[in-house]
Amino acid sequence: MDLVSTLVVAFWAMLPAYVPNNAAVLLGGGRPIDGGRNLGGRRILGDGKTWRGTIVGTGVGVGLALLLSEVAASVGDAANVALPTFPLPVAFALAFGAMVGDIGASFLKRRTGRDRGAAFPGLDQLDFVVGALGLAAVVDPAWFGEWFTVPVLAAVVVVTPLLHIGTNGVAYALDLKEEPW
Ligand code: CTP
Ligand code: MG
């Protein structure tokens, strides 16, 4: 696969993992998952991780994956690249895994003394990638192995932080997010 095709496959395959956190920023809020409880004098997760954000974010990611599956063949033909479709368990794994990765990062941030909204460079940009890919690899190893080849994984690790910084910067500029990370 040439470089452009590798980048296109990486972006396409990761889209169901990219949108859930952004959907949570737009549509989340309400009751926090940790119910306001503390662990060692600090919130377990904090007010930024809510049931609504997690459920809606996962739903939006799954919905997008199913939509992409419908058009994968025609878009792939037009772009001359073979693009993956997303079986339902994979769609769920990518979307929910992304949310779980982000929740895990908040857990680690609170344990390391970082308040809600504090930056944790590296973790902020890749937490959801680890969650999404980890869960997808467990749920459907064959699908994962077919699409997330070593070059595609390398593309994901390089491109995701750039996209993450870009979209969060835009969300911050539009006043949708309180911090630019
Ligand atoms: N959000 C949500 N549920 C989630 C994830 C995010 O409701 N599972 C919403 C919250 O309104 C949150 C916003 O999206 O404030 C931004 O998400 P994020 O930057 O991940 O959370 P922070 O508030 O910065 O908190 P943390 O320091 O724990 O990351
Ligand atoms: Mg944040």
Side-chain angles (χ1 to χ4, degrees):
M1 229 191 318
D2 60 69
L3 180 60
V4 174
S5 304
T6 302
L7 288 169
V8 170
V9 169
F11 182 67
W12 182 276
M14 284 303 286
L15 264 176
Y18 285 153
V19 295
N21 288 295
N22 296 305
V25 172
L26 293 177
L27 306 166
R31 216 162 80 80
I33 295 171
D34 66 11
R37 282 186 290 273
N38 283 359
L39 177 68
R42 278 185 177 275
R43 285 288 294 276
I44 301 176
L45 299 173
D47 283 333
K49 304 298 118 145
T50 69
W51 289 108
R52 190 170 79 214
T54 307
I55 292 165
V56 174
T58 302
V60 169
V62 170
L64 177 65
L66 299 181
L67 204 81
L68 291 175
S69 295
E70 293 297 316
V71 299
S74 47
V75 175
D77 275 351
N80 207 16
V81 197
L83 293 172
T85 57
F86 303 91
L88 189 57
V90 170
F92 180 79
L94 289 171
F96 184 61
M99 298 258 63
V100 170
D102 175 62
I103 291 168
S106 291
F107 182 81
L108 288 178
K109 286 193 202 176
R110 301 301 93 83
R111 304 289 75 72
T112 52
R114 291 172 168 83
D115 286 327
R116 175 186 177 185
F120 197 146
L123 191 68
D124 279 327
Q125 287 76 38
L126 289 170
D127 51 15
F128 63 101
V129 174
V130 173
L133 295 185
L135 202 57
V138 169
V139 162
D140 195 338
W143 184 93
F144 186 85
E146 182 181 353
W147 295 105
F148 283 99
T149 57
V150 171
V152 170
L153 285 172
V156 168
V157 170
V158 173
V159 172
T160 304
L162 302 175
L163 285 173
H164 190 260
I165 289 166
T167 52
N168 283 335
V170 170
Y172 175 72
L174 294 177
D175 249 344
L176 297 170
K177 213 169 176 304
E178 282 171 35
E179 306 86 17
W181 44 78

